[in-house]
């Protein structure tokens, strides 16, 4: 999991006013409109978030992003209530990224987050028109419906597993809690972009200690899986606070389960979400930062890949017609990465993987190369879907 995404707390009413204030204070400025109607150039620096236009037609929109700052950044299109329309994370200094999104008529914000922390530097933007996307291939509507069902099933199946984990924590049974920890995270890891689209759930359940914001106290403000992971593997004991944290984890994930059905899901958000899952692997799992105490990173790794592949398979029939070479490459790269991951299974069908601290530098490099080989073509899936 990347550093904490702190909940965006702007109301619908105050959003435009707040962004105007940010413009004056941070140098978030509007450039003259340029390029095709559906393309918005976004120039991110450490202190500014410039957009080429503040008004554009509703429909398929492409963000053409360049990071001219010194910090890694991420860029979002946000609804007024701060739900995420689309995002692109881990945009390194001096690099460019493109992301395609489906945007209905209405008011939005484009946010850049230098350092990938805080509320970001924001621009208020407007999508104009009828509010209707051009008539969509029925196969894409079916893909969205199927993915929504998949995401709900993953959430539903997570709750009983989390309850087993929480009960073990509350019983003070360290070994039973360790055994239940990784399985309780699989459904979340498969569908993490859906959970992150709400903005406020992810920081409660999946933040690491180094993802806490300045001023937050790890002993008071840190909650979720990774706080309990530290107690189990580093401290080797469970306290009354851990029991309370276990109950809170169940409560927060029940909230997630209830909200999954309300998530904004489009073909492009599915495709972009698949890329986000590979980014999660590249920045957390391959490095060993995600599960730094338990070393169960490969379980998360596999779940992220499965979630990305589910989205891809649902969109594949349309993408294959529009860009057959892309789908051919994606098939090959998914197969190669899954084959590589199988090398680290203790069994060939379940989720009993080798402890990641036993995986050497050369093997980690091999895994990283396989992830990067898949992530690049996967970044082009959204554009292929809407051609």
């Amino acid at each position: 999991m990347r550093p904490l995404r702190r909940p965006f707390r702007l109301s619908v009413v105050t959003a435009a006013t707040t962004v105007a204030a940010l413009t004056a204070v941070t140098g978030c400025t509007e450039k003259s409109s340029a390029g095709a109607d559906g393309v918005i150039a976004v120039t991110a620096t450490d202190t500014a978030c410039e957009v080429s236009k503040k008004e554009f037609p509703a429909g398929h929109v492409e963000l053409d992003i360049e990071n001219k700052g010194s910090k890694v950044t991420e860029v979002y299109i946000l609804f007024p209530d701060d739900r995420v329309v689309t995002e692109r994370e881990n945009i390194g200094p001096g690099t460019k990224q493109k992301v395609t999104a489906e945007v209905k008529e209405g008011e939005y914000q484009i946010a850049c987050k230098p350092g990938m922390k805080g509320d970001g530097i924001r621009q208020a933007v407007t999508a104009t028109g009828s509010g209707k996307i051009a008539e969509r291939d029925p196969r894409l509507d079916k893909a969205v419906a199927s993915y929504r069902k998949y995401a709900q099933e993953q959430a539903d199946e997570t709750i009983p597993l989390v309850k087993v984990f929480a009960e073990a924590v509350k019983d003070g049974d360290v070994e039973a809690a360790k055994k239940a920890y990784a399985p309780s995270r699989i459904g979340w890891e498969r569908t993490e972009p859906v959970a992150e689209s709400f903005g406020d759930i992810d920081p409660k359940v999946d933040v690491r200690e180094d993802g806490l914001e300045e001023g937050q106290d790890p002993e008071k403000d840190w909650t979720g899986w990774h706080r309990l992971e530290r107690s189990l593997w580093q401290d080797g004991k469970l306290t009354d606070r851990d029991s309370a944290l276990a109950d809170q984890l169940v409560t927060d994930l029940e909230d997630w389960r209830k909200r999954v059905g309300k998530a904004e899901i489009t073909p492009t958000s599915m495709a972009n979400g698949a890329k986000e899952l590979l980014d999660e692997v590249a920045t957390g799992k391959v490095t060993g930062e995600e599960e730094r105490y338990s070393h169960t990173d490969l379980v998360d790794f596999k779940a992220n890949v499965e979630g990305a592949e589910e989205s891809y398979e649902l969109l594949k029939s349309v993408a294959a017609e529009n860009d057959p070479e892309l789908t051919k490459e994606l098939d090959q790269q998914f197969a190669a990465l899954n084959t590589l991951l199988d090398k680290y299974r203790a069994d060939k069908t379940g989720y009993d993987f080798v402890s990641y601290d036993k995986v050497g530098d050369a093997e980690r490099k091999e895994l990283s190369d396989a992830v990067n080989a898949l992530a690049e073509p996967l970044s082009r899936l959204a554009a292929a879907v809407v051609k």
Side-chain angles (χ1 to χ4, degrees):
M1 178 62 211
R2 69 185 178 286
L4 168 68
R5 175 186 294 124
R6 208 163 165 74
F8 296 106
R9 301 189 185 278
L10 302 179
S11 70
V12 175
V13 176
T14 61
T17 303
T18 303
V19 174
L22 279 170
T23 302
V25 174
T26 65
C28 188
T29 58
E30 180 187 7
K31 290 183 172 181
S32 60
S33 179
D37 284 346
V39 178
I40 303 171
V42 180
T43 304
T45 70
D46 296 344
T47 57
C49 185
E50 298 177 345
V51 300
S52 62
K53 59 188 73 174
K54 286 190 174 181
E55 191 171 290
F56 49 87
H60 292 118
V61 174
E62 180 183 283
L63 298 185
D64 189 357
I65 305 164
E66 182 174 9
N67 182 5
K68 291 187 175 181
S70 64
K71 300 176 182 178
V72 176
T73 196
E74 51 193 24
V75 174
Y76 301 81
I77 299 178
L78 299 168
F79 288 103
D81 62 2
D82 291 321
R83 286 176 298 125
V84 178
V85 178
T86 195
E87 64 181 298
R88 183 53 52 88
E89 302 171 0
N90 300 298
I91 306 169
T95 64
K96 298 180 179 181
Q97 294 274 347
K98 290 185 178 180
V99 58
T100 301
E102 206 168 284
V103 181
K104 299 177 182 177
E105 180 184 18
E107 303 298 319
Y108 298 88
Q109 295 180 71
I110 292 177
C112 304
K113 292 179 64 178
M116 302 200 302
K117 286 191 177 184
D119 286 348
I121 305 165
R122 299 184 173 202
Q123 281 280 21
V125 296
T126 302
T128 61
S130 66
K132 295 180 180 179
I133 304 299
E135 186 173 343
R136 197 153 65 189
D137 188 315
R139 290 173 296 175
L140 293 178
D141 289 327
K142 182 178 178 180
V144 168
S146 295
Y147 185 76
R148 189 179 295 281
K149 180 181 178 183
Y150 171 76
Q152 188 65 63
E153 287 172 348
Q154 294 305 309
D156 291 344
E157 292 168 9
T158 293
I159 300 305
L161 295 172
V162 170
K163 287 181 176 178
V164 170
F165 171 62
E167 286 305 312
V169 170
K170 291 160 66 178
D171 289 343
D173 191 334
V174 171
E175 291 308 313
K178 285 182 175 180
K179 185 177 180 180
Y181 172 76
S184 75
R185 291 177 50 72
I186 292 171
W188 171 273
E189 292 290 343
R190 285 173 175 159
T191 59
E192 196 165 359
V194 173
E196 291 179 348
S197 71
F198 298 115
D200 61 336
I201 297 176
D202 182 81
K204 295 178 183 178
V205 304
D206 200 32
V207 69
R208 303 190 305 256
E209 184 173 5
D210 56 348
L212 294 173
E213 293 284 350
E214 184 177 353
Q216 287 189 302
D217 183 346
E219 301 310 314
K220 295 179 181 179
D221 302 318
W222 186 18
T223 61
W225 269 301
H226 295 303
R227 174 62 183 83
L228 291 166
E229 180 200 5
R230 190 186 75 173
S231 292
L232 290 166
W233 274 273
Q234 178 172 285
D235 302 340
K237 62 181 180 180
L238 295 164
T239 66
D240 289 344
R241 169 148 174 77
D242 292 316
S243 293
L245 288 171
D247 282 335
Q248 186 62 47
L249 178 64
V250 173
T251 298
D252 290 336
L253 289 170
E254 285 277 17
D255 181 30
W256 162 58
R257 183 186 67 80
K258 292 174 183 176
R259 292 164 70 179
V260 164
K262 301 175 183 178
E264 185 78 13
I265 298 174
T266 65
T268 55
S269 74
M270 289 170 59
N272 291 327
K275 173 60 166 61
E276 289 167 34
L277 286 169
L278 265 291
D279 288 343
E280 293 282 350
V281 173
T283 60
K285 281 68 173 183
V286 168
T287 62
E289 295 175 55
E290 179 81 356
E291 307 289 359
R292 62 191 61 178
Y293 309 111
S294 66
H295 306 300
T296 57
D297 302 87
L298 287 171
V299 178
D300 293 356
F301 191 140
K302 180 63 175 176
N304 284 159
V305 173
E306 287 177 337
E309 193 164 15
E310 179 71 17
S311 290
Y312 166 59
E313 289 295 338
L314 291 171
L315 297 169
K316 182 177 174 180
S317 62
V318 174
E321 287 185 7
N322 293 336
D323 194 339
E325 288 303 312
L326 176 63
T327 55
K328 180 180 178 180
E329 184 177 4
L330 285 170
D331 286 343
Q332 292 172 343
Q333 297 301 343
F334 268 116
L337 182 54
N338 281 317
T339 298
L340 185 57
L341 279 171
D342 283 344
K343 291 171 51 178
Y344 299 96
R345 288 183 188 266
D347 61 57
K348 295 305 178 186
T349 57
Y351 285 82
D352 188 6
F353 283 88
V354 172
S355 180
Y356 201 58
D357 58 337
K358 307 299 183 186
V359 178
D361 290 344
E363 290 77 16
R364 293 188 184 198
K365 173 67 163 56
E366 184 181 29
L367 286 164
S368 178
D369 288 346
V371 169
N372 291 335
L374 173 58
E376 191 285 321
L378 200 56
S379 69
R380 294 184 268 129
L381 179 60
V385 165
V386 302
K387 275 186 178 179

